[in-house]
Amino acid sequence: MDLFAVFKELQQKSEVKILLVVLDGVGGLPLEPGGPTELEAARTPNLDQLAGESALGLLTPVHPGLTPGSGPGHLALFGYDPFRYLVGRGALSALGLGVDFRDGDVALRGNFATLGPDGQVLDRRAGRPSTEENQRVVAKLQEAIPRIEDVAVYFYTESEHRFLVVLRGEGLGDSITDTDPQKTGLPPLEAQALDEASRKTARVVNLLSARIREVLRDEPKINGALFRGASRRPSFPSMTEVYGVRAAAIASYPMYKGLASLVGMEVLPVEGEGDAHEGKLKSLRENWESYDFFYLHFKKTDAKGEDGDFPGKVAEIERFDALLPEILALKPDVLAITGDHSTPALLRAHSWHPVPLLLKAPYLRRDTAQRFTESEAAKGSLGHLRGMELMPLLLAHAGKLLKYGA
């Protein structure tokens, strides 16, 4: 049910600051039955202390049993129905990078990959090359492949193994299947058109994939590309329009900047490479007085889970815990910490499992949960929420919603 009309009617101003911290893919699983999850294995004294002062619960980002991508997971956290407000990964990357992305263009998110002599995928991320290496290969492709048929092709570096392609030409639809098989040991898939208007796009993408393999045949690791999330430019109502908040986003990776800009947040600059924790905190401090809603994103918990690196994910959780006192020093009136989905190292992929949710705010009820972990969150007074239910809760605690009904 789309409640935006209700929120527009009930919105009211308040001098209260909301901070939503998203630890991407933070939920996990034990490596063996009875063992700890990544959150349970981590030493998190600051999160533990905060949990004792807060209310906890579990949050299913999209729907029980459905494994969400980062797009639907985040949109739900922002209060947008992920089954109604649909957007492909390509559009998010294009918006996040701020490239020339016009009406009628089709954007595709790409992964550089390592393919074996038999054409099967050996590594879906080509060993996670540096962004500088990505830039070198993107320049090589742009020079070699300016067009496919009558369609102009534009390549852009995103980060590490991630890149973006924008297709520009007549008669392009965005209803095609992905070419990423999502696992190793299989060849890249052929793009298939899902409607008549997208037949040309599917053909161009398949020709592009073959041409990329030809151009990169002499590269030791980056010798193929996997595409997903073909999409045209969408248009969503803004958070200011719906909730009446001045919203800002602090993130390093283009996709998350794209998600934020799509819902009308101002994307703030972040100094530093990679996840840039210190740069994010600097941006948060410097802009604290200018906005009343902040979205603060941390990526590496997800990346380590996708790599199957259990100790690495534990270390990233502990790294965030060490930064938490600096966040708390800003004294946000309403603070939520959660994830957009689970990424257990055991599975090396996103999963359908709920994530823990921590809420520090006025007017909380008594809570017995003592740690920010899956098992402790299950004891919490917030119960089990859906992703779309978080934003109204934050607005209510911030005094930004009037009473509904007589």
Side-chain angles (χ1 to χ4, degrees), residues 200-272:
K200 180 177 179 179
T201 308
R203 182 177 71 252
V204 168
V205 168
N206 289 330
L207 291 171
L208 176 62
S209 296
R211 184 75 178 109
I212 288 173
R213 290 195 292 271
E214 180 183 339
V215 172
L216 300 182
R217 63 184 180 277
D218 59 340
E219 295 285 343
K221 284 189 176 181
I222 303 176
N223 62 359
L226 308 173
F227 291 111
R228 52 186 166 136
S231 47
R232 290 187 285 198
R233 186 185 184 98
S235 178
F236 290 178
S238 74
M239 291 180 69
T240 300
E241 176 188 354
V242 176
Y243 306 129
V245 297
R246 295 166 296 157
I250 300 174
S252 295
Y253 287 77
M255 176 186 173
Y256 307 98
K257 296 179 185 180
L259 279 163
S261 65
L262 190 60
V263 297
M265 295 189 204
E266 182 166 346
V267 179
L268 302 178
V270 174
E271 298 175 3

XYZ file of all heavy atoms in Angstrom, residues 200-272:
556
model
N 15.934 -4.967 -29.948
C 17.156 -4.328 -30.433
C 18.189 -4.213 -29.317
O 19.377 -4.471 -29.526
C 16.838 -2.946 -31.009
C 18.062 -2.210 -31.541
C 17.665 -0.868 -32.161
C 18.874 -0.115 -32.666
N 18.491 1.180 -33.296
N 17.745 -3.851 -28.122
C 18.669 -3.720 -26.992
C 19.345 -5.046 -26.680
O 20.559 -5.100 -26.465
C 17.920 -3.214 -25.751
O 17.196 -2.035 -26.078
C 18.889 -2.907 -24.627
N 18.581 -6.138 -26.648
C 19.160 -7.456 -26.370
C 20.198 -7.811 -27.418
O 21.292 -8.316 -27.090
C 18.054 -8.510 -26.315
N 19.898 -7.548 -28.672
C 20.856 -7.863 -29.734
C 22.143 -7.039 -29.578
O 23.254 -7.578 -29.684
C 20.221 -7.591 -31.099
C 21.128 -7.945 -32.270
C 20.464 -7.732 -33.621
N 20.283 -6.314 -33.944
C 19.118 -5.689 -33.939
N 18.005 -6.337 -33.633
N 19.037 -4.402 -34.259
N 21.992 -5.759 -29.291
C 23.156 -4.889 -29.133
C 24.006 -5.325 -27.940
O 25.238 -5.355 -28.012
C 22.707 -3.424 -28.982
C 23.858 -2.532 -28.523
C 22.145 -2.908 -30.300
N 23.366 -5.688 -26.842
C 24.117 -6.115 -25.655
C 24.890 -7.401 -25.932
O 26.047 -7.553 -25.520
C 23.167 -6.286 -24.454
C 23.869 -7.002 -23.294
C 22.645 -4.929 -24.000
N 24.291 -8.337 -26.641
C 25.001 -9.581 -26.970
C 26.180 -9.311 -27.908
O 27.270 -9.897 -27.742
C 24.036 -10.585 -27.593
C 23.049 -11.140 -26.582
O 23.353 -11.254 -25.392
N 21.833 -11.456 -27.029
N 25.998 -8.437 -28.877
C 27.111 -8.068 -29.747
C 28.187 -7.339 -28.967
O 29.394 -7.546 -29.198
C 26.601 -7.180 -30.888
C 25.701 -7.853 -31.933
C 25.098 -6.814 -32.875
C 26.495 -8.897 -32.723
N 27.776 -6.489 -28.040
C 28.736 -5.763 -27.208
C 29.549 -6.720 -26.343
O 30.778 -6.580 -26.221
C 27.990 -4.755 -26.335
C 28.833 -3.959 -25.332
C 29.874 -3.114 -26.056
C 27.926 -3.092 -24.461
N 28.893 -7.702 -25.738
C 29.605 -8.676 -24.899
C 30.663 -9.416 -25.703
O 31.805 -9.614 -25.231
C 28.612 -9.670 -24.291
O 27.712 -9.031 -23.412
N 30.304 -9.840 -26.911
C 31.258 -10.549 -27.762
C 32.411 -9.644 -28.159
O 33.587 -10.061 -28.184
C 30.551 -11.084 -29.001
N 32.104 -8.397 -28.474
C 33.147 -7.457 -28.881
C 34.092 -7.148 -27.717
O 35.314 -7.024 -27.916
C 32.490 -6.176 -29.386
C 33.463 -5.156 -29.919
C 33.996 -5.527 -31.290
N 34.901 -4.486 -31.763
C 36.221 -4.624 -31.861
N 36.806 -5.757 -31.527
N 36.964 -3.628 -32.298
N 33.568 -7.046 -26.514
C 34.417 -6.817 -25.334
C 35.385 -7.978 -25.144
O 36.584 -7.777 -24.873
C 33.543 -6.604 -24.077
C 32.852 -5.237 -24.135
C 34.374 -6.733 -22.802
C 31.851 -4.998 -23.037
N 34.901 -9.205 -25.291
C 35.788 -10.366 -25.146
C 36.896 -10.327 -26.193
O 38.049 -10.671 -25.901
C 34.980 -11.662 -25.255
C 34.060 -11.913 -24.068
C 33.549 -13.351 -24.036
N 32.647 -13.636 -25.123
C 31.330 -13.439 -25.069
N 30.774 -12.921 -23.987
N 30.563 -13.745 -26.099
N 36.555 -9.884 -27.381
C 37.552 -9.801 -28.448
C 38.614 -8.747 -28.123
O 39.814 -8.996 -28.260
C 36.860 -9.466 -29.770
C 37.789 -9.359 -30.964
C 37.045 -8.965 -32.228
O 35.809 -9.168 -32.271
O 37.686 -8.449 -33.162
N 38.177 -7.570 -27.660
C 39.113 -6.480 -27.367
C 39.999 -6.824 -26.174
O 41.177 -6.443 -26.140
C 38.326 -5.174 -27.106
C 39.256 -4.065 -26.614
C 37.587 -4.740 -28.366
N 39.472 -7.569 -25.210
C 40.213 -7.858 -23.979
C 40.869 -9.238 -23.983
O 41.321 -9.712 -22.938
C 39.265 -7.752 -22.769
C 38.588 -6.398 -22.546
C 37.721 -6.443 -21.296
C 39.608 -5.269 -22.448
N 40.963 -9.869 -25.119
C 41.490 -11.246 -25.163
C 42.938 -11.343 -24.692
O 43.383 -12.422 -24.269
C 41.356 -11.819 -26.564
C 42.159 -11.102 -27.641
C 41.882 -11.701 -29.025
N 42.639 -11.045 -30.077
C 42.283 -9.919 -30.688
N 41.135 -9.345 -30.353
N 43.043 -9.371 -31.609
N 43.695 -10.230 -24.739
C 45.091 -10.272 -24.313
C 45.274 -9.889 -22.847
O 46.401 -9.856 -22.344
C 45.930 -9.344 -25.189
C 45.457 -7.898 -25.125
O 44.300 -7.669 -24.725
O 46.249 -6.995 -25.472
N 44.179 -9.578 -22.142
C 44.271 -9.199 -20.732
C 44.356 -10.457 -19.855
O 43.623 -11.427 -20.078
C 43.047 -8.376 -20.312
C 42.935 -7.034 -21.017
C 43.918 -6.015 -20.487
O 44.456 -6.222 -19.373
O 44.159 -5.007 -21.187
N 45.223 -10.464 -18.833
C 45.376 -11.683 -18.014
C 44.169 -12.023 -17.144
O 43.865 -13.195 -16.947
C 46.598 -11.355 -17.141
C 46.695 -9.863 -17.131
C 46.171 -9.402 -18.458
N 43.486 -11.013 -16.616
C 42.345 -11.273 -15.728
C 41.051 -10.641 -16.237
O 39.996 -11.272 -16.218
C 42.632 -10.743 -14.317
C 43.590 -11.621 -13.516
C 43.639 -11.158 -12.076
C 44.519 -12.077 -11.230
N 44.559 -11.642 -9.806
N 41.116 -9.391 -16.664
C 39.910 -8.690 -17.116
C 39.709 -9.006 -18.591
O 40.167 -8.287 -19.471
C 40.038 -7.171 -16.889
C 40.321 -6.864 -15.414
C 38.765 -6.461 -17.327
C 40.544 -5.391 -15.130
N 39.038 -10.111 -18.853
C 38.870 -10.527 -20.255
C 37.416 -10.783 -20.640
O 37.130 -11.417 -21.650
C 39.721 -11.758 -20.553
C 39.332 -12.971 -19.733
O 38.413 -12.901 -18.904
N 40.011 -14.073 -19.941
N 36.482 -10.298 -19.818
C 35.075 -10.440 -20.134
C 34.245 -9.475 -19.320
O 34.762 -8.779 -18.429
N 32.967 -9.399 -19.633
C 32.063 -8.501 -18.922
C 30.719 -9.176 -18.722
O 30.233 -9.901 -19.592
C 31.886 -7.195 -19.685
N 30.122 -8.919 -17.572
C 28.805 -9.436 -17.231
C 27.886 -8.246 -16.971
O 28.237 -7.339 -16.212
C 28.879 -10.321 -15.979
C 29.929 -11.443 -16.010
C 30.008 -12.131 -14.649
C 29.612 -12.446 -17.103
N 26.714 -8.248 -17.585
C 25.813 -7.107 -17.490
C 24.540 -7.460 -16.727
O 24.022 -8.576 -16.822
C 25.430 -6.607 -18.890
C 26.567 -5.973 -19.625
C 27.123 -6.583 -20.744
C 27.101 -4.763 -19.202
C 28.167 -6.000 -21.428
C 28.153 -4.170 -19.880
C 28.688 -4.779 -20.994
N 24.037 -6.462 -16.000
C 22.741 -6.613 -15.334
C 22.103 -5.241 -15.136
O 22.752 -4.202 -15.248
C 22.877 -7.336 -13.998
C 23.903 -6.784 -13.051
C 24.033 -7.679 -11.838
N 25.206 -7.386 -11.044
C 25.198 -7.311 -9.719
N 24.073 -7.503 -9.054
N 26.308 -7.058 -9.056
N 20.820 -5.277 -14.839
C 20.116 -4.061 -14.459
C 19.921 -3.060 -15.565
O 19.987 -1.846 -15.328
N 19.650 -3.525 -16.803
C 19.382 -2.582 -17.888
C 18.176 -1.713 -17.525
O 17.133 -2.218 -17.111
C 19.106 -3.334 -19.187
N 18.328 -0.393 -17.681
C 17.233 0.475 -17.254
C 17.334 1.855 -17.874
O 18.420 2.363 -18.129
C 17.201 0.597 -15.727
O 18.489 0.858 -15.214
N 16.169 2.431 -18.087
C 16.076 3.820 -18.501
C 15.924 4.712 -17.267
O 15.775 4.215 -16.147
C 14.915 4.000 -19.472
C 15.181 3.354 -20.815
C 14.128 3.652 -21.859
N 12.905 2.898 -21.637
C 11.982 2.711 -22.570
N 12.138 3.203 -23.771
N 10.899 2.014 -22.300
N 15.946 6.007 -17.490
C 15.926 6.964 -16.381
C 14.528 7.032 -15.763
O 13.562 7.394 -16.445
C 16.355 8.336 -16.889
C 16.524 9.381 -15.799
C 16.842 10.753 -16.382
N 17.100 11.706 -15.326
C 18.305 12.053 -14.911
N 19.366 11.548 -15.501
N 18.459 12.913 -13.920
N 14.380 6.742 -14.457
C 13.067 6.800 -13.810
C 12.825 8.175 -13.180
O 13.716 9.020 -13.113
C 13.186 5.728 -12.734
C 14.631 5.784 -12.343
C 15.411 6.196 -13.573
N 11.625 8.377 -12.653
C 11.283 9.604 -11.942
C 10.438 9.242 -10.725
O 9.358 8.667 -10.869
C 10.510 10.560 -12.858
O 10.141 11.727 -12.171
N 10.951 9.555 -9.527
C 10.264 9.234 -8.277
C 9.918 10.524 -7.530
O 10.613 11.540 -7.668
C 11.165 8.389 -7.363
C 11.417 6.986 -7.830
C 12.250 6.155 -7.107
C 10.839 6.477 -8.989
C 12.500 4.859 -7.513
C 11.081 5.188 -9.409
C 11.920 4.374 -8.670
N 8.873 10.511 -6.681
C 8.622 11.658 -5.793
C 9.770 11.806 -4.802
O 10.390 10.817 -4.390
C 7.310 11.300 -5.098
C 7.199 9.815 -5.215
C 7.876 9.441 -6.493
N 10.076 13.026 -4.422
C 11.214 13.269 -3.537
C 10.823 13.113 -2.069
O 9.653 13.247 -1.690
C 11.774 14.669 -3.764
O 10.907 15.643 -3.205
N 11.819 12.860 -1.227
C 11.582 12.755 0.215
C 11.104 14.084 0.789
O 10.330 14.104 1.746
C 12.850 12.280 0.916
C 13.219 10.842 0.596
S 14.723 10.280 1.431
C 14.176 10.217 3.137
N 11.564 15.182 0.221
C 11.092 16.484 0.684
C 9.597 16.634 0.412
O 8.826 17.097 1.263
C 11.868 17.616 -0.009
O 13.257 17.489 0.302
C 11.373 18.977 0.451
N 9.181 16.228 -0.764
C 7.763 16.299 -1.133
C 6.913 15.392 -0.255
O 5.834 15.788 0.211
C 7.616 15.900 -2.602
C 6.194 15.839 -3.112
C 6.098 15.255 -4.510
O 7.147 14.995 -5.143
O 4.961 15.041 -4.970
N 7.393 14.179 -0.017
C 6.581 13.183 0.692
C 6.632 13.380 2.197
O 5.599 13.338 2.886
C 7.050 11.762 0.327
C 6.282 10.727 1.136
C 6.863 11.507 -1.157
N 7.847 13.596 2.745
C 8.026 13.623 4.196
C 8.265 15.027 4.757
O 8.240 15.223 5.975
C 9.204 12.742 4.607
C 9.137 11.320 4.111
C 10.222 10.746 3.442
C 8.011 10.536 4.313
C 10.187 9.437 2.993
C 7.951 9.231 3.868
C 9.047 8.689 3.202
O 8.997 7.385 2.760
N 8.588 15.987 3.888
C 8.878 17.328 4.366
C 10.226 17.468 5.035
O 10.425 18.368 5.872
N 11.192 16.599 4.689
C 12.516 16.656 5.305
C 13.548 17.172 4.310
O 13.416 16.993 3.098
C 12.962 15.265 5.819
C 12.032 14.783 6.910
C 13.043 14.244 4.691
N 14.567 17.828 4.836
C 15.746 18.188 4.050
C 16.725 17.025 4.202
O 17.290 16.834 5.275
C 16.358 19.478 4.557
C 15.478 20.718 4.405
C 16.016 21.863 5.233
N 15.973 21.536 6.667
C 16.744 22.113 7.588
N 17.635 23.025 7.235
N 16.634 21.773 8.859
N 16.905 16.256 3.158
C 17.629 14.995 3.257
C 18.970 15.069 2.540
O 19.076 15.653 1.456
C 16.792 13.850 2.678
N 19.977 14.433 3.147
C 21.312 14.384 2.566
C 21.846 12.964 2.653
O 21.516 12.213 3.583
C 22.261 15.345 3.281
N 22.680 12.613 1.688
C 23.269 11.272 1.623
C 24.779 11.365 1.667
O 25.385 12.253 1.048
C 22.838 10.568 0.334
N 25.389 10.430 2.399
C 26.845 10.344 2.491
C 27.223 8.908 2.154
O 26.989 7.979 2.938
C 27.343 10.736 3.889
C 26.930 12.173 4.207
C 28.856 10.585 3.979
C 27.257 12.606 5.618
N 27.771 8.717 0.963
C 28.130 7.390 0.468
C 29.296 7.540 -0.488
O 29.512 8.604 -1.073
C 26.938 6.738 -0.231
N 30.035 6.449 -0.680
C 31.196 6.477 -1.566
C 30.915 5.858 -2.921
O 31.480 6.289 -3.921
C 32.376 5.740 -0.913
O 32.808 6.396 0.252
N 30.066 4.855 -2.965
C 29.883 4.089 -4.192
C 28.755 4.678 -5.029
O 27.702 5.053 -4.500
C 29.607 2.626 -3.862
C 30.833 1.899 -3.370
C 31.291 2.075 -2.069
C 31.555 1.056 -4.203
C 32.423 1.429 -1.612
C 32.686 0.397 -3.757
C 33.120 0.591 -2.461
O 34.244 -0.040 -2.011
N 28.950 4.764 -6.346
C 27.973 5.441 -7.207
C 26.551 4.925 -7.110
O 25.601 5.702 -7.168
C 28.555 5.231 -8.611
C 30.025 5.137 -8.400
C 30.176 4.395 -7.101
N 26.384 3.607 -6.965
C 25.023 3.082 -6.942
C 24.207 3.694 -5.806
O 23.028 4.034 -5.972
C 25.039 1.563 -6.792
C 23.645 0.993 -6.674
S 23.644 -0.754 -6.336
C 21.897 -0.998 -6.049
N 24.829 3.850 -4.634
C 24.116 4.343 -3.463
C 23.897 5.856 -3.563
O 22.880 6.375 -3.080
C 24.872 3.931 -2.209
C 25.130 2.450 -2.223
C 26.358 1.939 -2.640
C 24.110 1.554 -1.925
C 26.570 0.576 -2.736
C 24.314 0.192 -2.014
C 25.545 -0.297 -2.428
O 25.744 -1.657 -2.538
N 24.821 6.541 -4.202
C 24.583 7.948 -4.515
C 23.400 8.073 -5.469
O 22.574 8.983 -5.343
C 25.826 8.563 -5.148
C 27.053 8.611 -4.253
C 28.221 9.216 -5.025
C 29.506 9.183 -4.244
N 30.634 9.774 -5.013
N 23.322 7.158 -6.445
C 22.217 7.170 -7.380
C 20.890 6.932 -6.700
O 19.882 7.610 -7.000
N 20.844 5.980 -5.785
C 19.612 5.717 -5.040
C 19.173 6.954 -4.269
O 17.999 7.310 -4.256
C 19.844 4.562 -4.059
C 19.770 3.152 -4.627
C 20.415 2.162 -3.669
C 18.323 2.758 -4.887
N 20.140 7.600 -3.631
C 19.823 8.777 -2.836
C 19.315 9.924 -3.712
O 18.314 10.572 -3.390
C 21.053 9.220 -2.047
N 19.982 10.173 -4.832
C 19.551 11.263 -5.705
C 18.186 10.968 -6.323
O 17.391 11.883 -6.568
C 20.589 11.511 -6.796
O 20.696 10.398 -7.674
N 17.899 9.695 -6.543
C 16.620 9.296 -7.130
C 15.447 9.689 -6.239
O 14.359 10.008 -6.734
C 16.628 7.781 -7.361
C 15.500 7.166 -8.166
C 15.445 7.744 -9.566
C 15.684 5.649 -8.240
N 15.649 9.689 -4.919
C 14.566 10.052 -3.991
C 14.737 11.477 -3.471
O 14.124 11.861 -2.478
C 14.460 9.047 -2.825
C 14.111 7.667 -3.352
C 15.749 8.996 -2.004
N 15.577 12.255 -4.143
C 15.657 13.677 -3.843
C 16.610 14.077 -2.746
O 16.573 15.225 -2.281
N 17.489 13.184 -2.306
C 18.502 13.580 -1.334
C 19.613 14.359 -2.033
O 19.916 14.113 -3.199
C 19.134 12.361 -0.659
C 18.214 11.536 0.191
S 19.169 10.306 1.129
C 17.905 9.074 1.433
N 20.228 15.278 -1.302
C 21.431 15.921 -1.804
C 22.618 15.023 -1.468
O 22.815 14.660 -0.304
C 21.632 17.301 -1.202
C 22.861 18.001 -1.760
C 22.918 19.475 -1.439
O 21.886 20.031 -1.008
O 23.992 20.067 -1.617
N 23.387 14.645 -2.472
C 24.535 13.770 -2.264
C 25.742 14.633 -1.906
O 26.185 15.467 -2.707
C 24.822 12.930 -3.522
C 26.043 12.042 -3.295
C 23.603 12.077 -3.870
N 26.264 14.446 -0.699
C 27.350 15.275 -0.193
C 28.703 14.706 -0.617
O 28.861 13.490 -0.743
C 27.273 15.359 1.332
C 25.956 15.923 1.891
C 25.973 15.910 3.414
C 25.688 17.327 1.373
N 29.693 15.553 -0.830
C 31.023 15.072 -1.223
C 31.711 14.333 -0.083
O 31.534 14.672 1.091
C 31.772 16.362 -1.578
C 31.063 17.442 -0.827
C 29.625 17.024 -0.757
N 32.485 13.307 -0.459
C 33.236 12.498 0.504
C 34.683 12.431 0.044
O 34.961 12.045 -1.088
C 32.653 11.070 0.623
C 33.537 10.205 1.518
C 31.232 11.115 1.157
N 35.600 12.808 0.912
C 37.020 12.731 0.601
C 37.530 11.320 0.830
O 37.099 10.624 1.749
C 37.817 13.698 1.475
C 37.468 15.161 1.275
C 38.199 16.063 2.250
O 39.022 15.548 3.034
O 37.951 17.282 2.222
N 38.468 10.874 -0.014
C 39.109 9.587 0.192
C 38.611 8.522 -0.761
O 37.575 8.663 -1.409
